[in-house]
Amino acid sequence: MLSTLGLDAASVRVYRTMLAHPQTDFDALQDHLGICEAELRSALDNLSSLALVRRHPDGMERFRTVDPRVAVQTLLARQQARLAAEQERSERTKLAAGELIAELGATDGRRPVELVERLDDAQEIRDRAGALLHGAREEVLTLSPGAFGEDWQRAARLLERELLQRGVRLRTLCLDSVHNSGPDLECARGLAQCGGQVRTAPALPVRFVVVDRRTALVPVDGESSTSGALILTGGGTVTALCALFECVWRGAVPLGGGARERDEHGLTAQAAEALRLLGQGLTDEAIAKRLGVSPRTARRISAELLEALGARSRFQAGCRAVARGWLPAEE
C-alpha cells in the first residue's frame, strides 16, 4: 500500500523497521537490514522528502519516524493538491483547444493543404535549405540552426547579407551558451552587425527555420543533423511554429545586451532552466544538450543547485524546490 504513495520497496522496508525499532541509530539500522550505506541513505532521503522520517534534533546519525497517521494525511494532501493542479491545467488546455478550433472553423475553405516532405540525404538538405532561403521575400525566423550541421550553417551565413540587402527581415534565436563558443558567437555578432536581429534564451524547445511564414525546415531529430529533415508547407503546423518562435522571442534577451538579471530566488536564467529540467527527471547529459553546454558544466550547475537547496539527492532537491516556491507543484 505504501508503494502507491511514492515509496519503493527498499524505503518501505526501512520505514517498517524504524517503526518496529524507533530508537535504532544509523549504524544499527544498517546492520539490522543488511544493506549498504548508499542504499540506506537513499531510502532515508526518500522517506525524509515524504515527511515520513525526521533527523533527530541531537544532530547525531539518528532518525525518528513521524506518526504514520499524520504522515499519510500529509502525503494524501500533497497528492490531492497535485491532482487539483493537473485538473486545472487540463481545463485550461481544453479551453485553449476550443478557442483554436473555433478560430480555425471561422476561416473560409481556402486554407492551404498541409504538405510534408522528408529529406534524408545531407547534400539534399543543404541544397533545399539554400533554395528556401534564396526564395525568401519577407522574413526568415531561425531557432537554433545548429541542428542542421556546420556545413549548412556556413552556407546560410553566406546568404544572410544578400537577404538583408533585399530587405528580408532576419530574426534568430540562439542559446545563451553561444557566448561560450567563439565561432558561434562570431557568426551571431556578424548577423547582428549586418542588420539581423539576434536574441538568446537559456534553452530552446525545438530547432527549425521558417521562411515567409509559409514553409518550415525542421530536423527529424533535434539532437542530430544526420537523421534527415522535414519540409513543412501549409497553414496549421507552420503557424504553430511561428507562434512558438514569437513566444520564445518575447522572453529572450538581445545578443550583447548584458548579463541576465537573477530571479527572486537568486538564480540565473540558466540555473532556473536547469532546475526545471532536473524537476522533469532529465540526466546531466540531457540537460547539457538542452542548454548547449558541456556535460561537465551541467554537472557543476546541478551540484550548485543541490548545495543551494541543502539537498543530498535530486529527489530531495525537487521536493525542497517546490516547498520554497522555486518550482511549481506540477513540475
Side-chain angles (χ1 to χ4, degrees), residues 119-161:
L119 307 175
D120 293 310
D121 180 72
Q123 185 60 51
E124 183 181 20
I125 294 174
R126 287 192 290 270
D127 292 344
R128 292 297 301 278
L132 284 174
L133 291 176
H134 271 299
R137 294 292 178 267
E138 299 173 1
E139 184 179 47
V140 175
L141 307 177
T142 305
L143 195 153
S144 187
F148 296 107
E150 294 181 0
D151 291 341
W152 187 87
Q153 286 191 65
R154 285 194 292 268
R157 300 306 176 196
L158 295 176
L159 288 170
E160 288 170 350
R161 188 179 297 273

Side-chain angles (χ1 to χ4, degrees), residues 305-318:
L305 287 170
L306 261 66
E307 181 179 0
L309 289 163
R312 291 184 295 175
S313 68
R314 291 173 179 244
F315 186 89
Q316 188 179 38

Side-chain angles (χ1 to χ4, degrees), residues 17 32-33 41 50 71 82 99 118 125 146 148 167 174 178 183 207 239 266 275 281 297:
T17 302
H32 186 86
L33 292 167
R41 289 194 181 279
L50 295 173
R82 286 195 296 269
E99 292 176 351
R118 174 160 182 155
I125 294 174
F148 296 107
C174 304
V178 71
R207 306 172 188 272
T239 298
L275 180 60
T297 299

